Amino acid sequence: MITRKQLSRLGLFDAKVPRYTSYPTAPHFSNAVSPGDFASWIEAVPEGGTVSLYLHVPFCRRLCWFCACRTQGTATLGPVESYVQTLLSELDLLKAHLPRGVKLSRLHWGGGTPTLLSPGLMRALIDKVAEVAPFAEHAEFSVEIDPNEIDGERLDVLAAGGMNRASIGVQDFDEQIQATIGRPQGYDVTRRAVEMIRERGVASLNADILYGLPHQTRAKITETVQKLLSFAPDRVALYGYAHVPWMAKRQQMIPSDALPTPAERLDLFDTARRLFAWDGYAEIGIDHFATPDDGLAIAQKTGKLRRNFQGYTDDTSEVLIGLGASSISKFPQGYAQNAPATSAYTAAVREGRFATSRGHAFGGDDRLRARMIEMLMCDFRIRSEELEQDYGVSPAALKAMFSRANEQFEGLLEITEDGLFIPPEARPLTRMIARSFDAYDLSKAGHSSAI
Ligand SMILES: C[S@@+](CC[C@H](N)C(=O)[O-])C[C@H]1O[C@@H](n2cnc3c(N)ncnc32)[C@H](O)[C@@H]1O
Ligand code: SF4
């Protein structure tokens, strides 16, 4: 039995560890990757293959205090219209470089709040994407929807454009918590958004909620989960609230003395986790839940769960192309990130070139370590056979790596001929265990707290 004391000693309550949506993590990107590299990596996509596409819309009508996402507030549509024009030009650039016959396995609109686009702007983006690459069979088109910022007309456009997965931001239903985190959102507003989404036949509903919020208690998170379950979402992301006011200045509005202690955070997560389990949801990786027939649950069962910048996915494409300010792309050759500032991004695209400003070209043992970390984050195990076959690493070298990790974690890990396994009681430590396979300077690796 692992105790709280032991979890604390092993770094759970004070470590700053990345969420490992990439390896190496974004703080390790450098200016070694240029717009020319990005263009050549796109050109290397096999003809007739599939890619995933992410479009970033970094605008919100109101800025929630808790939010750590890169986004800017706007009261008018002017800046958004001009940004979408740039996005359309960037899509034209992509089209010019993308080999023939490439199809989309996934299209995701994220932000910020993509649903603040007017119906006309949404349609323009949908049409342009279709010109660049059509959807592949069984493709998914998902959109992040703020229930406060959606209406029937916009949902009509999205549904007609093929949206088959809607992702709504809930955070918490409790009014005191909502007031403290600067995100008022009446239960009826969320319920109406869900009804409108369902009425349009959108096949799948995702929801984001948070644990570790100010004033959150076991009773309050129980109520939030129960209300959420009444919507029967297909997937839920239960993220740990990352309080990083030195980075996200808006969070200075949130009184830190109202935040739960690290031990209480663990308890809040566990309370919500049990409720989802009782309701028949499968636990996916470190912070997701899905109905047994959802793609994520099936991918997990069949060992095909993957992790990318959007979190857990069942997408099997090797290429994820991110467009828009600050977006990150992933290729078999490495990562490429667009300029984070909207001004620099716009200037580059208006001059007719890609806006890549940083990235990382894979070298050394990056791919091997990336896969090991992905396996831990997805399956809580590293399968040696796959690594030996795909990366030519020797069983002895793997064993040595596993033993070093196990020493660091006081023998809590299981090591067998098949590989390394994190037993359920040690899973709160998963990100820390993954970090022990990270070869980069750990002081730069991440910024969000371990739980
Ligand atoms: C980029 S936001 C977009 C959602 C959409 N704009 C909305 O408000 O509904 C996606 C999700 O990131 C999560 N998020 C934002 N700030 C966070 C923080 N400080 N810690 C943990 N998760 C956070 C929230 O759960 C949010 O729903
Ligand atoms: S939570 Fe959504 S609406 Fe609120 S600031 Fe973040 S991205 Fe914008």
Side-chain angles (χ1 to χ4, degrees):
M1 183 61 192
I2 184 165
T3 62
R4 295 249 155 133
K5 225 172 168 179
Q6 197 175 8
L7 288 174
S8 165
R9 192 170 58 238
L10 293 171
L12 180 65
F13 297 142
D14 53 14
K16 306 278 181 211
V17 279
R19 295 177 61 236
Y20 285 113
T21 52
S22 74
Y23 176 82
T25 56
H28 294 288
F29 294 177
S30 73
N31 59 9
V33 174
S34 67
D37 294 319
F38 182 58
S40 71
W41 292 350
I42 293 171
E43 286 161 10
V45 171
E47 271 189 23
T50 58
V51 299
S52 295
L53 185 60
Y54 172 76
L55 301 186
H56 189 63
V57 181
F59 294 97
C60 297
R61 190 85 58 191
R62 50 144 194 206
L63 290 173
C64 315
W65 303 337
F66 78 95
C67 181
C69 300
R70 183 174 270 280
T71 184
Q72 59 199 78
T74 179
T76 61
L77 256 191
V80 184
E81 275 166 2
S82 133
Y83 180 83
V84 170
Q85 287 312 318
T86 311
L87 212 43
L88 293 172
S89 305
E90 198 186 15
L91 280 159
D92 279 329
L93 274 175
L94 171 62
K95 185 180 172 196
H97 289 275
L98 202 62
R100 270 184 309 182
V102 172
K103 292 188 174 167
L104 295 185
S105 64
R106 295 284 188 280
L107 170 63
H108 184 76
W109 293 9
T113 305
T115 48
L116 64 57
L117 300 186
S118 63
L121 290 176
M122 287 182 172
R123 212 171 288 123
L125 270 183
I126 287 169
D127 291 347
K128 181 62 77 182
V129 168
E131 260 179 51
V132 175
F135 285 122
E137 210 185 341
H138 307 304
E140 270 183 24
F141 173 19
S142 49
V143 180
E144 287 172 18
I145 294 175
D146 176 355
N148 289 290
E149 199 56 61
I150 192 67
D151 55 33
E153 195 187 350
R154 285 182 272 189
L155 278 175
D156 283 341
V157 174
L158 291 172
M163 178 178 73
N164 49 14
R165 189 176 284 284
S167 182
I168 57 164
V170 173
Q171 325 312 342
D172 198 293
F173 284 113
D174 182 79
E175 282 177 20
Q176 184 195 15
I177 294 178
Q178 291 186 357
T180 313
I181 65 172
R183 164 89 177 199
Q185 180 174 324
Y187 171 75
D188 288 344
V189 170
T190 310
R191 202 193 52 200
R192 185 71 201 117
V194 170
E195 284 166 1
M196 287 194 295
I197 290 166
R198 298 268 196 227
E199 279 160 14
R200 282 157 184 82
V202 176
S204 184
L205 179 75
N206 296 11
D208 296 342
I209 57 169
L210 298 177
Y211 69 92
L213 289 171
H215 303 300
Q216 207 173 33
T217 58
R218 213 187 271 184
K220 285 185 175 184
I221 202 164
T222 299
E223 200 177 330
T224 286
V225 171
Q226 280 168 343
K227 282 184 171 161
L228 183 62
L229 286 172
S230 73
F231 300 151
D234 300 85
R235 281 181 199 173
V236 178
L238 172 61
Y239 296 127
Y241 167 56
H243 190 62
V244 286
W246 57 94
M247 281 178 50
K249 299 270 184 276
R250 301 188 283 273
Q251 292 184 350
Q252 287 170 2
M253 301 291 290
I254 296 178
S256 45
D257 57 0
L259 291 170
T261 63
E264 284 164 349
R265 276 173 73 98
L266 190 60
D267 195 51
L268 289 165
F269 176 79
D270 219 45
T271 303
R273 186 178 68 83
R274 280 169 210 253
L275 291 168
F276 288 120
W278 278 330
D279 224 62
Y281 282 75
E283 217 176 315
I284 310 292
I286 61 164
D287 53 13
H288 276 58
F289 299 86
T291 53
D293 56 350
D294 180 83
L296 281 190
I298 294 167
Q300 182 177 55
K301 255 191 244 143
T302 51
K304 290 188 175 140
L305 188 66
R306 307 303 298 255
R307 193 157 169 83
N308 66 18
F309 295 106
Q310 285 133 50
Y312 290 105
T313 178
D314 54 353
D315 183 21
T316 50
S317 283
E318 290 294 317
V319 175
L320 168 65
I321 297 174
L323 301 187
S326 81
S327 281
I328 306 179
S329 301
K330 183 185 180 194
F331 296 89
Q333 297 89 337
Y335 302 111
Q337 181 172 23
N338 271 350
T342 311
S343 51
Y345 159 74
T346 307
V349 176
R350 296 244 160 114
E351 282 167 21
R353 57 189 167 80
F354 284 120
T356 313
S357 66
R358 284 152 29 96
H360 180 86
F362 293 133
D365 58 7
D366 285 343
R367 287 188 185 85
L368 167 69
R369 288 180 182 273
R371 186 69 191 120
M372 289 172 120
I373 288 174
E374 188 182 35
M375 282 178 174
L376 286 173
M377 297 294 291
C378 291
D379 306 320
F380 304 110
R381 68 173 75 236
I382 298 178
R383 293 176 297 276
S384 298
E385 197 183 346
E386 182 189 317
L387 297 177
E388 287 160 26
Q389 272 170 15
D390 294 355
Y391 303 94
V393 58
S394 73
L398 282 178
K399 269 230 162 100
M401 287 170 101
F402 296 164
S403 299
R404 273 197 300 276
N406 207 16
E407 258 168 48
Q408 207 178 321
F409 288 94
E410 303 181 351
L412 285 172
L413 311 178
E414 286 173 19
I415 300 174
T416 67
E417 283 306 306
D418 295 337
L420 176 144
F421 178 67
I422 309 178
E425 67 273 16
R427 288 187 187 166
L429 296 167
T430 300
R431 284 158 58 178
M432 265 128 314
I433 297 165
R435 192 176 62 170
S436 69
F437 291 94
D438 186 336
Y440 288 84
D441 174 8
L442 299 179
S443 62
K444 273 189 14 183
H447 53 73
S448 57
S449 79
I451 52 163

